[in-house]
Amino acid sequence: MIKFNNKILILFIFFVQLSYSQNIVGKWKTIDDESGKEKSIVEIFEKNGKIFGRILEILDPENKNKKCNQCEGEDKNKAIQGLVIIKGLTKDDEEYSNGKILDPKNGKLYKCSISLDSKDKLKVRGYIGFSLIGRTQYWYRAKS
């Protein structure tokens, strides 16, 4: 009976780790579209059943103190480091959508969808209107 319980425990731990590794919640490294350089660390988190993302760290020291001057509403003139840029996504099968993403460069909000491309690669799509008119970035899981 003890061997049987150990097998169940090992199986349970395996599935918990598998589901955790396939979760978008966590820290992600963003890459600048133009330069290809690492840009920031974004923490994706769940709150009240919805997904949000906050810029935890700006990696370029020259940009650490920048503010979102072109943002509107409550984000206007806030420091970009610490800013919530992913707002209110909900899970739809293997994708998260029905929320917004903020581009701090221009202060604009776009519709957003996020899905795992692999366990350590996140596909982030911001768009206007239909998903065809937009831009896709790939973010990479930040190593702790």
Side-chain angles (χ1 to χ4, degrees):
M1 181 126 179
I2 293 174
K3 275 189 158 190
F4 178 73
N5 287 338
N6 285 342
K7 288 180 183 177
I8 290 175
L9 180 62
I10 291 169
L11 191 59
F12 175 75
I13 291 170
F14 171 77
F15 281 113
V16 167
Q17 287 180 334
L18 182 64
S19 67
Y20 179 74
S21 68
Q22 294 180 354
N23 192 340
I24 67 167
V25 171
K27 295 177 184 173
W28 296 90
K29 190 176 295 184
T30 69
I31 309 297
D32 186 274
D33 291 341
E34 296 163 7
S35 69
K37 292 182 179 179
E38 296 174 348
K39 189 173 174 180
S40 66
I41 303 294
V42 173
E43 178 185 32
I44 295 180
F45 60 96
E46 185 176 343
K47 182 179 175 183
N48 299 325
K50 295 194 177 198
I51 295 295
F52 296 84
R54 172 185 305 110
I55 298 176
L56 277 185
E57 182 180 1
I58 295 174
L59 300 175
D60 181 352
E62 292 180 17
N63 294 324
K64 280 200 182 270
N65 297 318
K66 285 198 171 180
K67 296 188 184 279
C68 195
N69 299 324
Q70 295 181 338
C71 289
E72 295 180 0
E74 65 182 25
D75 293 331
K76 180 125 181 104
N77 296 321
K78 277 191 176 176
I80 293 174
Q81 187 163 296
L83 193 63
V84 175
I85 60 166
I86 297 172
K87 303 176 184 217
L89 298 178
T90 56
K91 187 166 171 116
D92 184 19
D93 288 328
E94 298 302 312
E95 182 178 86
Y96 294 82
S97 58
N98 299 317
K100 302 278 184 177
I101 189 164
L102 173 68
D103 183 346
K105 266 187 175 177
N106 62 23
K108 294 185 180 180
L109 276 171
Y110 299 95
K111 291 181 180 179
C112 180
S113 65
I114 295 177
S115 60
L116 280 173
D117 197 56
S118 67
K119 82 176 185 105
D120 291 330
K121 186 177 179 183
L122 191 65
K123 180 179 177 183
V124 180
R125 180 128 180 103
Y127 57 94
I128 300 170
F130 299 101
S131 183
L132 294 173
I133 305 170
R135 183 175 90 201
T136 300
Q137 286 187 337
Y138 290 93
W139 297 358
Y140 299 89
R141 195 175 296 276
K143 307 296 180 203
S144 297

